[in-house]
Amino acid sequence: QVQLAESGGGLVQAGDSLRIACAASGRGSSGLVVGWFRQVPGKEREFVAAMRWSDGATTYSNSVKDRFTISRDNDKKTLYLQMNNLRPEETAVYYCAAGAVAFKPGTIGNPRFYINWGQGTQVTVSS
């Protein structure tokens, strides 16, 4: 089991940057994938980015590609999401998730395949 705790959310203006973090504890499987999702009330949880912990392979949703960067600090067991040029429509609760997810389209972006979730951190982007 992996325990996750997000931090770093806040209020920023459109065009600003923000980095959120996800501290992990516990023991993960060899095929562990960690990802970021976001959700607004009344909508489904949306995939943002993911990383395969073993080799650092990454993937992004098309909407954030080239603006967001997922990274990790192995020593601190922490996952980061650097978000640049934020847009008001990206206001959401951002969640960190982990699971033994097949790193391929159709599974990597499906929240049902992630079994461990953090409590979320609110990111608000004002126009």
Side-chain angles (χ1 to χ4, degrees), residues 26-40:
R27 187 167 181 171
S29 65
S30 60
L32 187 69
V33 170
V34 287
W36 288 100
F37 290 79
R38 61 191 180 191
Q39 189 171 28
V40 297

Side-chain angles (χ1 to χ4, degrees), residues 48-70:
V48 176
M51 173 183 285
R52 185 166 53 202
W53 199 263
S54 61
D55 62 2
T58 60
T59 187
Y60 298 88
S61 71
N62 287 334
S63 63
V64 307
K65 203 173 183 179
D66 300 327
R67 295 186 298 118
F68 289 15
T69 303
I70 188 172

Side-chain angles (χ1 to χ4, degrees):
Q1 277 281 40
V2 178
Q3 291 78 46
L4 305 169
E6 302 93 337
S7 62
L11 172 64
V12 298
Q13 293 188 333
D16 283 353
S17 297
L18 187 69
R19 189 179 78 161
I20 56 178
C22 173
S25 60
R27 187 167 181 171
S29 65
S30 60
L32 187 69
V33 170
V34 287
W36 288 100
F37 290 79
R38 61 191 180 191
Q39 189 171 28
V40 297
K43 291 192 175 181
E44 293 186 354
R45 205 159 284 192
E46 176 192 12
F47 171 74
V48 176
M51 173 183 285
R52 185 166 53 202
W53 199 263
S54 61
D55 62 2
T58 60
T59 187
Y60 298 88
S61 71
N62 287 334
S63 63
V64 307
K65 203 173 183 179
D66 300 327
R67 295 186 298 118
F68 289 15
T69 303
I70 188 172
S71 63
R72 66 180 176 184
D73 183 324
N74 277 333
D75 292 337
K76 295 181 179 179
K77 295 180 74 173
T78 299
L79 184 76
Y80 300 99
L81 184 68
Q82 176 68 43
M83 304 180 288
N84 297 330
N85 193 19
L86 280 160
R87 302 165 179 169
E89 58 266 33
E90 295 178 312
T91 294
V93 177
Y94 282 70
Y95 295 93
C96 177
V101 185
F103 204 79
K104 59 183 182 180
T107 56
I108 197 70
N110 190 331
R112 293 183 301 171
F113 291 99
Y114 294 77
I115 61 172
N116 303 116
W117 291 84
Q119 81 287 352
T121 186
Q122 176 72 44
V123 173
T124 302
V125 185
S126 65
S127 57

